[in-house]
Amino acid sequence: MAPPALAGAPEQAAPHAAYTEIYSSALYRRRRVINRVALALSIATMAIGLLFLFWILWTLAARGLAALRPVVFLQSTPPPGSAGGLINAIAGSLLMTGVGILVGAPVGIMAGTYLAEFGKNHWFAETARFVNDILLSAPSIIIGLFIYAVMVVRMGHFSGWAGAMALAVIAIPIVVRTTEDMLRLVPVTLREAAAALGAPRWKVVVLIAFRAARSGILTGVLLAIARVSGETAPLLFTALNNQFWSTNMNAPIANLPVVIFQFAMSPYADWVKLAWAGSLLITLSVLLLNIVARIAFRQQKAG
């Protein structure tokens, strides 16, 4: 015969089990309600963000396409009341962006490689990461003032070189962060396998890590191009502007962001139309670069 305590155990456990089931069911319902509310709020905020994005794109398309004629790509910026285009500003922007990326991308890739492969948790690497984070969030106008004091004042005049250096300083921290993150995603087993075969450290980095992370590194470079292509403030202090066609990087040179800034604030209708056309060109370029970067990054993650 079972002991009395054990004999009464099922009767005592039954109410406790029922209470536990009711409590679990109520807890589940409450969590489900909270989850649905959070999901609804997330979707609503995403919809608001997309609404403003499409609103901006629609406004640019409605006003920019009307002004986007073949003459925009064939003539330089005109005086008020005359027909003209933006070819000098487009060429100047391409020149300065190209030089800036050619300077900033290699520096950023090498710095990101040091942080990911060699420095790791060394105090110098930690300091470099901290400085890079500051540069990443620094206002572009501060960088423009820095290049103005370092280059423009010493040279005695504005120039395309100064504008390119300002864009390079803006691009470097973006490339550094992306390169470091992508190299850290490369499995350690790949490096160990190459090292086990007798490959030196530099060859492991160049032939193994770089090849595995090249899509991600390219993504960082594309994001840097998208970031610097629309910067206006640093170019106001460095490259200024030029109404005429010029590819002389040692003199003031035209560029789309500054032309848009000046023409949009002018009282002349023809200048305002060109400003809308230039804004549409920059927006489409940045949008295309971001789409390409996202596709490349997705392929990197899938690989």
Side-chain angles (χ1 to χ4, degrees):
M1 183 176 180
L6 295 177
E11 289 77 7
Q12 295 176 2
H16 179 72
Y19 174 77
T20 302
E21 183 179 355
I22 295 173
Y23 177 78
S24 300
S25 178
L27 181 63
Y28 173 74
R29 286 196 299 270
R30 184 168 64 87
R31 288 179 176 177
R32 186 172 59 181
V33 170
I34 294 174
N35 179 69
R36 289 180 176 178
V37 171
L39 181 61
L41 291 176
S42 300
I43 294 175
T45 53
M46 181 188 67
I48 293 173
L50 290 175
L51 173 64
F52 282 105
L53 175 62
F54 284 115
W55 191 1
I56 293 172
L57 292 176
W58 174 260
T59 303
L60 285 173
R63 302 197 179 189
L65 287 176
L68 202 61
R69 297 169 297 173
V71 69
V72 172
F73 304 97
L74 299 174
Q75 296 184 12
S76 298
T77 49
S82 302
L86 298 170
I87 185 61
N88 58 331
I90 295 173
S93 290
L94 291 176
L95 277 174
M96 286 189 291
T97 302
V99 173
I101 294 299
L102 286 176
V103 173
V107 174
I109 291 173
M110 288 187 290
T113 303
Y114 167 77
L115 295 178
E117 299 290 337
F118 301 97
K120 295 189 180 296
N121 296 323
H122 192 268
W123 67 267
F124 182 74
E126 294 294 338
T127 304
R129 288 190 189 94
F130 177 72
V131 173
N132 187 76
D133 290 340
I134 293 176
L135 282 176
L136 194 62
S137 57
S140 59
I141 191 170
I142 303 299
I143 296 175
L145 285 171
F146 169 73
I147 299 298
Y148 174 82
V150 172
M151 292 188 64
V152 176
V153 172
R154 295 179 181 272
M155 295 172 64
H157 58 84
F158 299 96
S159 67
W161 295 119
M165 291 305 104
L167 298 182
V169 174
I170 296 174
I172 286 174
I174 302 173
V175 180
V176 170
R177 172 61 66 83
T178 309
T179 301
E180 181 185 5
D181 291 343
M182 293 301 103
L183 288 175
R184 286 182 177 273
L185 290 178
V186 178
V188 180
T189 52
L190 292 178
R191 298 179 177 88
E192 292 176 346
L197 294 174
R201 184 70 177 273
W202 68 268
K203 189 169 288 188
V204 173
V205 173
V206 174
L207 299 181
I208 304 299
F210 276 179
R211 286 189 178 182
R214 60 185 175 187
S215 297
I217 296 174
L218 177 62
T219 300
V221 175
L222 292 176
L223 290 175
I225 296 174
R227 165 73 189 277
V228 303
S229 61
E231 289 292 343
T232 305
L235 299 183
L236 286 170
F237 293 96
T238 54
L240 199 60
N241 199 6
N242 190 342
Q243 185 179 349
F244 308 100
W245 170 267
S246 176
T247 56
N248 181 14
M249 293 286 287
N250 200 37
I253 190 170
N255 54 90
L256 270 177
V258 174
V259 168
I260 293 170
F261 171 74
Q262 293 179 345
F263 280 21
M265 296 183 65
S266 71
Y268 308 110
D270 49 350
W271 276 16
V272 174
K273 288 182 180 179
L274 285 176
W276 281 110
S279 301
L280 180 62
L281 285 176
I282 286 185
T283 303
L284 292 179
S285 300
V286 172
L287 185 62
L288 179 62
L289 285 173
N290 276 279
I291 291 174
V292 172
R294 297 297 178 185
I295 293 174
F297 183 70
R298 184 177 300 175
Q299 292 176 350
Q300 168 72 13
K301 291 180 66 176

